Amino acid sequence: MTAETQLPQATGSCCSSTGSCHDSADTDAQAGTVTTVYQVSGMTCGHCEGAISEEVSGIEGVTSVKAVASTGRVTVTSEAPLSDEAVRAAIDEAGYELAGRA
């Protein structure tokens, strides 16, 4: 009986409206936010992570930034999709290079 009541819930899509199946995408989509992951060249330490996070956080609409030097990935959560040029400019200002979306 429990399986029958859970079956309709299990048939829904796990993907966000953007077609992403990342774990954070579902939660973010429900909260009305957009999460984008970028690949950045040149990060080697915590100072690099902080410099990038500070610059990208200054973009209007950004609600959180997580930079990880070991992977070169920067995860940005925002209220709406960001222009790649705005993100590129912020990363350039921090002294690093945006390689593209991860």
Side-chain angles (χ1 to χ4, degrees):
M1 186 157 97
T2 304
E4 290 177 20
T5 59
Q6 291 178 354
L7 183 59
Q9 295 170 355
T11 60
S13 173
C14 69
C15 294
S16 71
S17 60
T18 62
S20 173
C21 288
H22 298 291
D23 291 341
S24 63
D26 281 334
T27 303
D28 292 339
Q30 292 172 5
T33 60
V34 176
T35 301
T36 309
V37 181
Y38 299 93
Q39 191 68 41
V40 176
S41 300
M43 282 194 293
T44 59
C45 65
H47 172 68
C48 301
E49 295 170 348
I52 288 173
S53 294
E54 183 177 341
E55 290 296 333
V56 174
S57 291
I59 300 171
E60 185 175 341
V62 170
T63 57
S64 73
V65 180
K66 179 176 171 104
V68 180
S70 63
T71 62
R73 292 191 175 202
V74 178
T75 303
V76 181
T77 304
S78 57
E79 297 168 347
L82 301 174
S83 102
D84 286 346
E85 288 310 310
V87 175
R88 183 178 309 282
I91 290 172
D92 285 349
E93 183 66 27
Y96 304 90
E97 182 181 347
L98 177 64
R101 291 185 186 216

